Amino acid sequence: QVQLVESGGGLVQAGGSLRLSCAASEPTFGDYTVGWFRQAPGKDREFVAGISYRDQSTYYEDSVEGRFTISRDNAKNTVYLKMNNLNPENTAVYYCASREKFRFVISSNPRNYDSWGQGTQVTVSS
């Protein structure tokens, strides 16, 4: 079971930026498909962005397309989520999740991921 640790969250004003990191204990983390999810109070966990291990393709939820960028540094066993032009609707706990050698390109369904981090809080003030 891979251990995932998110970091980089915090409090920012609307229009600001943050970069989240997801550090993995697994030295072969490049063989894992990784997704970022977020959950706001009273709402379901929502897919934000994902990156495939198979072809390195990236995928985004519609509302963050063009503002958020997911990337990875396999040498550091780390996946990043760069978030630009944040707004208060982006306030949530952000989680990274992974699935080793996922057979499909990507999935927005949380049930397809079997390892999760503890989450990092992102708060955007107006």
Side-chain angles (χ1 to χ4, degrees):
Q1 182 176 334
V2 62
Q3 179 181 346
L4 305 176
V5 179
E6 302 97 334
S7 62
L11 173 64
V12 297
Q13 293 184 342
S17 299
L18 287 172
R19 188 178 74 161
L20 307 183
S21 297
C22 175
S25 63
E26 174 57 57
T28 60
F29 198 44
D31 291 335
Y32 290 70
T33 289
V34 179
W36 282 97
F37 294 79
R38 65 188 176 195
Q39 188 165 24
K43 296 185 178 180
D44 293 334
R45 191 166 299 183
E46 177 188 34
F47 174 80
V48 177
I51 185 165
S52 172
Y53 99 96
R54 296 188 66 182
D55 61 3
Q56 312 306 314
S57 297
T58 57
Y59 302 86
Y60 300 92
E61 190 271 327
D62 289 344
S63 69
V64 308
E65 182 75 46
R67 297 190 298 118
F68 290 12
T69 302
I70 187 171
S71 62
R72 70 194 309 166
D73 186 341
N74 291 336
K76 297 181 178 180
N77 302 319
T78 301
V79 172
Y80 304 96
L81 182 67
K82 177 64 176 176
M83 305 185 295
N84 294 325
N85 195 23
L86 289 162
N87 61 70
E89 294 181 355
N90 300 139
T91 294
V93 177
Y94 283 71
Y95 301 88
C96 65
S98 67
R99 176 75 175 269
E100 183 178 12
K101 298 179 180 178
F102 187 54
R103 63 180 295 182
F104 302 109
V105 175
I106 199 67
S107 176
S108 61
N109 188 343
R111 293 185 178 183
N112 284 324
Y113 298 85
D114 55 15
S115 295
W116 293 81
Q118 83 290 342
T120 184
Q121 177 71 49
V122 172
T123 303
V124 185
S125 62
S126 59

